[in-house]
Amino acid sequence: MSRKVVVQRWLIGLAAGAAIFWACSAVFDFFETLGGGPVRSAADYRKQDIKTREDGKRVIGGLRPGAGAPDRMREEGSTSCVDDLGFDGDDVTRKQPHYKWGLHYAGEADYLADLDRLRTEWKRRGWTTEDKPPAKPLNPDHPTPQWPGIRTTDDHGVTISIGINWYTGKPTLSADGGCIRYKRDARVTARKLTGAAGGKSPAQKGAVTYGDGVQVSIGPVQRITPTPEMTGGDAPAAHTYRVPVTVTNRSGAPVELRSYDIGSYVRGNPGIKRLLSYPSELSAGGPHRVSEGEVSRLEYVFTAETKPSQLDLAYGPGELHSSYEWRLSVP
């Protein structure tokens, strides 16, 4: 067999292998897209949620004064970001950070001037602007102004659009971060642990600062005398302790606290019982919302018949932040 024939067959085999690889990649990409995209982490979802909020607020800040308030936003639900085909596993879920803000203009001229201002800014940033025709009125009780709209996708993959809401007939800004599939357990982790946090040597208090700016501090443990209301009329235990938890939210999105965010280790805390009616903010069962820039202070209460040498706890604020251990000294 000549060398030329060998080379030709080698090239044909290489081309065939490349074609098969491309076809497999295309099929994988197709089913991945059909399934809602790649599986990311809960921390990735948190980042995109924060960016979506911030990008929408930033656009409002560039509009004429009084056109809109950055903090007056509402969350939009999505019927398209669902797992109709069963692609999500037991530890995988999906959400779509999507927010809208109502805008106010004295007339069409002011509205169009803001659209022109945005076109210029988006072009400067290298973003493609898509013009949207006026929406057709669908609600006869709210005549819709025939004003056009615009849309772009920014560097964070957030789709920003301004137009007339088809139902209310009022100008609206939308920021859509897209549908995100993520693993529930791959949460936001800490960048700093101090004091009792980390579960090493007992200390009066400790703190965990997360990568997105949320901070949790716990302690010091305080011995208290329980009231009949605290024990439900039962005889009080010999030892009752109040454990203060402070959540400071310096991130760009709310944190939702739940009653089961805190836990204790049976082997580490023999004979210790947590009173489930505390904190009162969480006793109703629903999440307690800590908005951006806010501080929330909660009090957990534990009882024991025999004084414990220390109190071992695990705590993580909400479903998107990792849980860490605290080893608290007891007075």
Side-chain angles (χ1 to χ4, degrees), residues 88-283:
D88 293 343
D90 293 338
D91 187 42
V92 177
T93 189
R94 59 180 69 195
K95 288 185 180 179
Q96 183 170 358
H98 188 190
Y99 304 95
K100 288 188 176 181
W101 293 260
L103 304 177
H104 306 278
Y105 290 96
E108 183 177 9
D110 290 343
Y111 172 79
L112 295 178
D114 263 354
L115 261 59
D116 288 340
R117 185 179 294 108
L118 287 177
R119 283 193 186 93
T120 301
E121 174 63 18
W122 294 350
K123 182 178 180 180
R124 185 186 68 80
R125 292 177 176 268
W127 303 342
T128 300
T129 301
E130 177 185 350
D131 291 320
K132 299 166 55 181
K136 296 181 180 180
L138 297 179
N139 184 355
D141 296 330
H142 297 85
T144 303
Q146 295 300 287
W147 299 354
I150 58 174
R151 177 168 52 198
T152 193
T153 300
D154 66 16
D155 294 332
H156 297 141
V158 177
T159 299
I160 305 291
S161 61
I162 292 183
I164 301 300
N165 184 284
W166 63 269
Y167 186 81
T168 65
K170 296 180 180 180
T172 303
L173 167 71
S174 170
D176 185 352
C179 185
I180 301 175
R181 298 171 68 205
Y182 64 88
K183 292 184 177 180
R184 293 184 177 91
D185 288 342
R187 301 170 181 171
V188 182
T189 57
R191 65 168 181 256
K192 184 178 181 181
L193 295 89
T194 61
K200 297 180 181 178
S201 300
Q204 286 189 336
K205 57 184 179 180
V208 171
T209 302
Y210 289 87
D212 62 353
V214 173
Q215 184 183 73
V216 175
S217 61
I218 300 182
V221 176
Q222 304 161 11
R223 184 168 182 173
I224 61 174
T225 301
T227 63
E229 290 77 16
M230 296 177 68
T231 60
D234 296 334
H239 303 274
T240 303
Y241 301 97
R242 176 191 292 122
V243 180
V245 175
T246 302
V247 178
T248 304
N249 187 4
R250 297 192 181 96
S251 73
V255 178
E256 292 189 342
L257 309 181
R258 307 158 304 180
S259 61
Y260 51 85
D261 288 338
I262 200 167
S264 62
Y265 300 104
V266 175
R267 284 175 291 180
N269 296 313
I272 294 180
K273 177 182 177 181
R274 180 166 77 86
L275 299 186
L276 299 181
S277 58
Y278 291 87
S280 58
E281 294 87 348
L282 306 179
S283 59

